[in-house]
Amino acid sequence: SNLHQKLKLIRGTCGICLIVGTMIGSGIFISPKSVLLYSGAVGPCLLIWAACGVLATLGALCYAELGTMITKSGAEYFYFMEAFGPLVAYLYSWTTVMVLKPSSFAIITLSFAEYASTPFYAGCTPPPLVTKCLSAAAIFLIVGINCLSVKLASYVQNFFTAAKLVIILVIVGAGIVLLAQGNTENFSNSFDGASPSFGAIGLAFYNGLWAYDGWNQLNFITEELKDPYRNLPLAIIIGIPLVSVCYVLVNVSYFTVMTTTELLQSQAVAVTFGDRVLYPVAWMIPLFVVFSTFGSANGSCFTAGRLAYVAAREGHIVKIISYIDVKRYTPSPALIFNGIIAIFYIIPADINTLINYFSFAQWAFYGLAALSLIVMRFTRKDLHRPLKVRLVDRGCFSSSLLAF
C-alpha cells in the first residue's frame, strides 16, 4: 500500500495534458488527407471530423463512469474482467499489448520522423530508411525518459502539450484571418463530389477517429492519479471538447489555403499550409509538429507500459513485465517491452496501412467497453458510482451526467 501511495504522482492538470497531449499528435497532421480522400468533398469531410468528436465525447463519458467506478490502472482490461470475466480480459490484454499499443506508438513516431526529415528533403519524399531510423531513435529516447522518472515523463508531456496548442492556435488564427479576407472559394458547393460509398465513408471515419484516439488514456493510469473521482472526469470533460473544436477549426484553416486536389497532393499538409501562409517563419510549422508528435508518442508510451504492467500483475502476461523499479517507481520492463514491439512495427513504414489495421480492432474494444458499462448496470449494482451516465432506450447514451 505504501508503494501505491508513492505511485500517485499525476495531478489533475497533468491528466488534462495527458489526454490533450496524446489526442493532438500525428492525427490532425496526417488524417486530413485520408478523411478527404474517402469522403470526397469539403462538406462531408468537415462533418465527419465533427461527428468523430461527438463519438469520442460519448465514449469518453462512458469511460468517465467506468474509471470512477473501477479505480484500477489498465482501463478496459479491468472493465472486461468485471463485466465478462478473465477470458475476455486476457484476450484484450494480449491483443492490446502485442498489437494495438505498439502499433499506435509506431504510427506516431513514424509521423514524427516524416515531419522531422521533410525540411531536409525539399521537393521530394524522405527516404524510408531515414524515417525508420528517426522513428527508432524516438522510440529509444521516449522509452528511456519514461523508465527514468514518472515526473520527468509528466514534465515532458506538459511541455509538448503546451507547444502543440501553440501551433494549433497559430494555424486556426491564420485560418480565421484568411476567412475574414474572403478566402472562401473552397467552401462553395462543398458537397459536390461527395463519395456515395458506405465503405469509403467508413474508412474516412476510421482515419478521423484515429486522430481522436487517446481520449481514454487517463483510464490506464488511474492508480497513479491523485483524487481520481474528481480529476478523471474533469480531465475528460475539459480535454475532449477542446480537442474537437481545435480539429474542426484546423481543417477549416487548411481549406482556406488549399483546394481538395492540392491537399491530397501535399506530402505534409501542415507544412504546405505554413509555406503558403507563414513565410518567412514557415519553419515553425514542422518544428512544432515534431513537438506535437513527440509529445503524443510520449503519452502513448506512458500508458502502454501501465497496461502491460497490470496484465502481468494479474498473471495474464509473463511476470517479469509486472516488476517496478523500486527507486524510480516506473514499470521499466513493461515500457521496454512495448518499445521493442513498436520497433518491429516501424519496419513496413506504411502509416495508412497501420492506421486501418489499428482502428478497427481499437474501436471494437471501445464498443465492448461501452457494452460492459451496460452489463454492469445489471450485474454489479453494488459498485459505487460517483459519476453516472444516464442510459436511455436500451443503451443509447445521453450526455447528461448525474451526481458529478
Side-chain angles (χ1 to χ4, degrees), residues 83-387:
F84 307 118
L87 177 60
V88 177
Y90 169 80
L91 294 173
Y92 166 78
S93 65
W94 271 98
T95 303
T96 305
V97 169
M98 299 300 295
V99 177
L100 298 183
K101 283 297 184 182
S103 66
S104 173
F105 198 11
I107 292 167
I108 301 168
T109 55
L110 283 169
S111 306
F112 162 85
E114 283 195 2
Y115 272 93
S117 57
T118 294
F120 300 98
Y121 295 90
C124 63
T125 303
L129 181 61
V130 172
T131 57
K132 291 177 185 180
C133 290
L134 279 175
S135 178
I139 289 172
F140 280 120
L141 178 59
I142 291 167
V143 169
I145 290 171
N146 281 268
C147 288
L148 282 174
S149 169
V150 173
K151 286 187 176 180
L152 176 60
S154 297
Y155 291 149
V156 168
Q157 190 67 28
N158 294 348
F159 172 79
F160 285 107
T161 298
K164 68 184 65 182
L165 288 176
V166 168
I167 198 59
I168 291 291
L169 289 174
V170 168
I171 294 173
V172 170
I176 291 172
V177 170
L178 291 169
L179 282 175
Q181 292 174 347
N183 292 278
T184 59
E185 297 87 356
N186 294 329
F187 299 99
S188 59
N189 303 316
S190 59
F191 285 85
D192 289 352
S195 174
S197 167
F198 284 106
I201 295 297
L203 288 172
F205 267 98
Y206 273 159
N207 285 274
L209 289 170
W210 153 250
Y212 281 94
D213 191 63
W215 46 266
N216 65 328
Q217 296 299 297
L218 205 56
N219 292 66
F220 283 96
I221 59 166
T222 310
E223 292 175 19
E224 298 174 65
L225 185 65
K226 292 186 177 182
D227 192 6
Y229 300 113
R230 174 185 180 274
N231 290 328
L232 175 63
L234 188 63
I236 287 172
I237 291 167
I238 292 174
I240 295 165
L242 173 64
V243 172
S244 301
V245 171
C246 287
Y247 279 4
V248 174
L249 292 178
V250 166
N251 278 275
V252 169
S253 297
Y254 289 156
F255 287 121
T256 61
V257 173
M258 289 174 275
T259 64
T260 55
T261 301
E262 289 171 336
L263 193 147
L264 291 173
Q265 291 176 346
S266 172
Q267 292 295 329
V269 177
V271 172
T272 302
F273 179 90
D275 289 340
R276 297 189 180 186
V277 177
L278 300 175
Y279 186 83
V281 292
W283 53 266
M284 68 183 297
I285 293 287
L287 176 64
F288 276 86
V289 172
V290 166
F291 287 169
S292 176
T293 50
F294 189 89
S296 183
N298 180 73
S300 177
C301 176
F302 190 95
T303 57
R306 273 60 183 177
L307 175 61
Y309 154 71
V310 297
R313 189 178 65 187
E314 297 296 316
H316 285 171
I317 299 179
V318 291
K319 193 169 183 61
I320 191 174
I321 295 179
S322 69
Y323 293 173
I324 292 178
D325 188 319
V326 294
K327 292 183 178 179
R328 299 181 176 88
Y329 308 117
T330 58
S332 297
L335 292 165
I336 294 169
F337 180 77
N338 179 62
I340 291 171
I341 300 299
I343 288 174
F344 285 103
Y345 280 104
I346 67 174
I347 293 173
D350 187 345
I351 294 176
N352 288 326
T353 300
L354 278 173
I355 289 173
N356 292 333
Y357 174 58
F358 165 90
S359 295
F360 178 80
Q362 184 64 77
W363 282 88
F365 281 126
Y366 289 158
L368 193 60
L371 178 61
S372 74
L373 177 61
I374 299 171
V375 168
M376 283 190 282
R377 288 289 180 87
F378 300 97
T379 61
R380 297 302 308 271
K381 295 180 180 180
D382 57 308
L383 290 174
H384 176 55
R385 293 171 170 83
L387 181 149

